[in-house]
Amino acid sequence: MLSLSRAVVSGVTRAPAAISQTGVTVITRFNSTTQNAPKKTTFGPLADEDRIFTNLYGRHDWRLKGAQKRGDWYKTKEILLKGVDWILNEVKVSGLRGRGGAGFPTGMKPKYLVVNADEGEPGTCKDREIMRHDPHKLVEGCLVAGRAMGARAAYIYIRGEFYNESSNLQVAINEAYAAGLIGRNACGSGYDFDVFVMRGAGAYICGEETALIDRPITTGVFGCPTTVANVETVAVAPTICRRGGLWFLGFGRERNSGTKLFNISGHVNTPCTVEEEMSIPLKDLIERHAGGQRGQRASGGLNARKTTDIIRAIARLIEFYKHESCGQCTPCREGVDWMNDMMWRFVRGNAKEAEIDMIWEISKQIEGHTICALGDGAAWPVQGLIRHFRPVMETRIAEFQQAKQATA
C-alpha cells in the first residue's frame, strides 16, 4: 500500500514528503526553487586510477598477457551479451565525442566500422602510442564498438610510415584470434567479428574519409552504412562499458566530457603524450606534464618560444602540405606549390611587399575549393601569419633590400 504524507504547497517552502511502500520509507524534500548541482570549475590533474591508457610509455608488456593484467579483455563477454542497446546507451550517457579532431557525437548504428589510424596532421602522435604500446585496447574496442553497430568486421587503416605500430597491432590481432577473443564466437558470446589492418602508402589524402572508404560518404563501405572513427574514440569504449557512462561523464565540462590524450611538443622541456581530463587549462597541462615552456607562446599542442623565426616555422609547415598534396585538386596542387616557393623567399626576405597580398589572395583561392581539408590546412597558417605578423614580414623584406644595396 502506498501512502503519501500531506505537503504544504502554499508556503515558501514545502515539508518533506514521506513515501512508504512495502515497509520502506523514503524521505523526499520538495523545494520551492529548483536547485541544480554546482558546475565544475576546476579540471585536472587526472588520478592514476582514472587513466584508461595505462601503458602509453611502453613500460609494461604490450602483448596479450600484459594487457589482461592491466584490465583489458575483462568481462568482455558480459559486455557483448548485454546487447546493442545497453552498449549504445552507456556510450551516449558518457558524452564521448570523436577524438580525431572534429568532435562528432558517438553512439550511432552503422553496419561497418572503419578505424582511421592515419594520424597525418603536424604535431599529432597520440594514436600511434596506443597502437605501439596498448594495441589490445584498440582491438577490444573494435569488438565492443562493432557489437554496438551490429557490424561483422572492423577495418583499421594505418599510415605506411607506422611500421612498428602496424606490426604490434597485427601481433595483438593474431593473439586475440588465437585466444578466441575475436573471430567466430568472439569471447564465447556467439557473435562473429573480424578485424583487418590495411596499411597505406604514406599519402595524407588517405586519411580523409571519402578517400579512405573509396566511395561517396553517403554510400559507405560495400554500399552499406559506415562510420569512420578515430583510434582513441574506439579504444576507450570497453572501459566506458566496464566503469559506466556516468563515470566518464564525470570528467570535463558539459558536452566536453571524459579524458583525452594530449600531445605536447615544440619548445617545452619534456615533450610528451599524456592522458588528462578534458578542459584542463593549457597552462596546467604544459607545466605539470611537459616541465614548462622554454618560451611564452603556445598554440594547441605545438609550443614555440618568442625567439622562434615565425616565418620559417610557417614555411616549414607549408612545405609539409606541399609534400602531402595528392595533386587531384588544381587549387591545392598549384596553389600550395606557389605558396611554398613564396614562403621560403619570405624567410630570406627576397620578396616584394606586394607579394604579401598576393600570397593572401592565393590562400583564399585554395581555401574552400578542394575536396579534402588539406587545402584549408595549408591556407590558414599563411593567413594567420599575415594577420598577426605582417610587420615582421615587411621588416624582413626591408632588411634584405638594405643588405643587398649595401653590397651593390
Side-chain angles (χ1 to χ4, degrees):
M1 180 178 181
L2 176 66
S3 63
L4 179 64
S5 67
R6 180 182 179 186
V8 180
V9 296
S10 59
V12 176
T13 61
R14 298 182 182 181
I19 302 176
S20 177
Q21 188 173 18
T22 63
V24 179
T25 302
V26 179
I27 303 297
T28 304
R29 183 174 297 279
F30 297 98
N31 295 320
S32 59
T33 58
T34 302
Q35 295 182 357
N36 296 324
K39 293 184 177 180
K40 291 182 64 174
T41 57
T42 58
F43 305 92
L46 189 68
D48 286 343
E49 57 266 25
D50 290 321
R51 300 191 189 282
I52 296 175
F53 300 100
T54 52
N55 195 33
L56 274 181
Y57 309 116
R59 296 170 180 166
H60 309 290
D61 180 17
W62 57 268
R63 303 284 292 265
L64 178 58
K65 289 184 178 179
Q68 289 175 323
K69 288 180 180 178
R70 294 191 301 275
D72 295 340
W73 298 109
Y74 177 67
K75 293 187 176 180
T76 309
K77 177 181 178 180
E78 295 181 14
I79 294 174
L80 299 178
L81 292 178
K82 286 184 178 181
V84 172
D85 293 337
W86 183 88
I87 297 174
L88 285 172
N89 183 67
E90 288 300 314
V91 174
K92 287 181 179 179
V93 167
S94 75
L96 174 66
R97 303 184 76 87
R99 295 307 196 222
F104 292 122
T106 56
M108 308 304 176
K109 293 180 66 176
K111 288 299 182 183
Y112 284 95
L113 172 63
V114 175
V115 181
N116 188 348
D118 182 72
E119 199 169 43
E121 296 292 345
T124 57
C125 49
K126 66 180 181 66
D127 292 341
R128 75 179 191 184
E129 303 296 349
I130 298 173
M131 294 181 287
R132 179 166 48 182
H133 299 311
D134 241 350
H136 276 282
K137 278 216 182 327
L138 176 57
V139 179
E140 185 187 12
C142 288
L143 175 62
V144 172
R147 178 70 181 98
M149 298 171 185
R152 292 297 176 182
Y155 298 86
I156 304 173
Y157 170 79
I158 185 168
R159 68 184 292 107
E161 293 90 341
F162 286 175
Y163 178 80
N164 292 331
E165 291 78 3
S166 63
S167 296
N168 288 10
L169 181 59
Q170 189 61 61
V171 168
I173 291 172
N174 294 344
E175 289 180 325
Y177 269 115
L181 300 173
I182 57 175
R184 292 183 62 84
N185 191 27
C187 294
S189 64
Y191 171 60
D192 299 340
F193 189 79
D194 292 305
V195 179
F196 303 98
V197 174
M198 311 296 291
R199 291 193 62 201
Y204 177 97
I205 186 64
C206 294
E208 197 275 328
E209 287 190 10
T210 57
L212 190 65
I213 63 177
D214 197 29
R215 287 175 181 268
I217 199 65
T218 54
T219 304
V221 173
F222 308 129
C224 298
T226 304
T227 187
V228 179
N230 173 257
V231 169
E232 184 183 355
T233 311
V234 173
V236 300
T239 304
I240 289 175
C241 290
R242 273 191 282 266
R243 304 190 69 168
L246 289 175
W247 166 79
F248 195 79
L249 185 66
F251 301 104
R253 300 177 188 270
E254 184 179 358
R255 293 186 296 178
N256 192 35
S257 59
T259 67
K260 178 79 177 70
L261 293 182
F262 294 91
N263 300 131
I264 312 172
S265 60
H267 294 151
V268 293
N269 291 308
T270 54
C272 64
T273 298
V274 64
E275 183 178 5
E276 259 296 354
E277 181 176 8
M278 291 290 281
S279 296
I280 184 174
L282 181 61
K283 180 180 179 182
D284 293 354
L285 195 65
I286 293 172
E287 292 183 352
R288 179 178 296 274
H289 299 290
Q293 290 179 262
R294 288 185 275 148
Q296 297 181 354
R297 183 183 296 135
S299 175
L302 293 168
N303 300 275
R305 50 189 174 184
K306 287 187 174 181
T307 56
T308 298
D309 185 341
I310 189 64
I311 303 177
R312 179 179 288 275
I314 298 300
R316 180 62 185 90
L317 197 56
I318 301 307
E319 186 177 47
F320 164 83
Y321 283 114
K322 176 205 169 186
H323 178 268
E324 293 293 342
S325 176
C326 74
Q328 180 179 357
C329 304
T330 302
C332 179
R333 182 184 67 246
E334 301 297 332
V336 176
D337 186 49
W338 292 344
M339 288 200 306
N340 180 65
D341 291 341
M342 295 176 73
M343 280 305 307
W344 285 109
R345 287 196 293 107
F346 284 130
V347 170
R348 299 187 298 271
N350 185 19
K352 299 178 181 179
E353 284 193 16
E355 291 183 75
I356 299 177
D357 294 323
M358 186 183 298
I359 196 173
W360 173 277
E361 181 61 27
I362 292 173
S363 74
K364 285 296 184 178
Q365 292 299 323
I366 299 171
E367 180 186 7
H369 297 94
T370 57
I371 294 175
C372 83
L374 185 142
D376 293 342
W380 293 336
V382 170
Q383 293 172 10
L385 175 68
I386 297 172
R387 188 179 296 114
H388 299 290
F389 297 96
R390 181 171 185 138
V392 177
M393 300 174 72
E394 292 172 345
T395 299
R396 184 75 56 86
I397 293 171
E399 290 175 348
F400 179 87
Q401 295 298 330
Q402 291 173 4
K404 184 177 180 181
Q405 292 174 3
T407 57

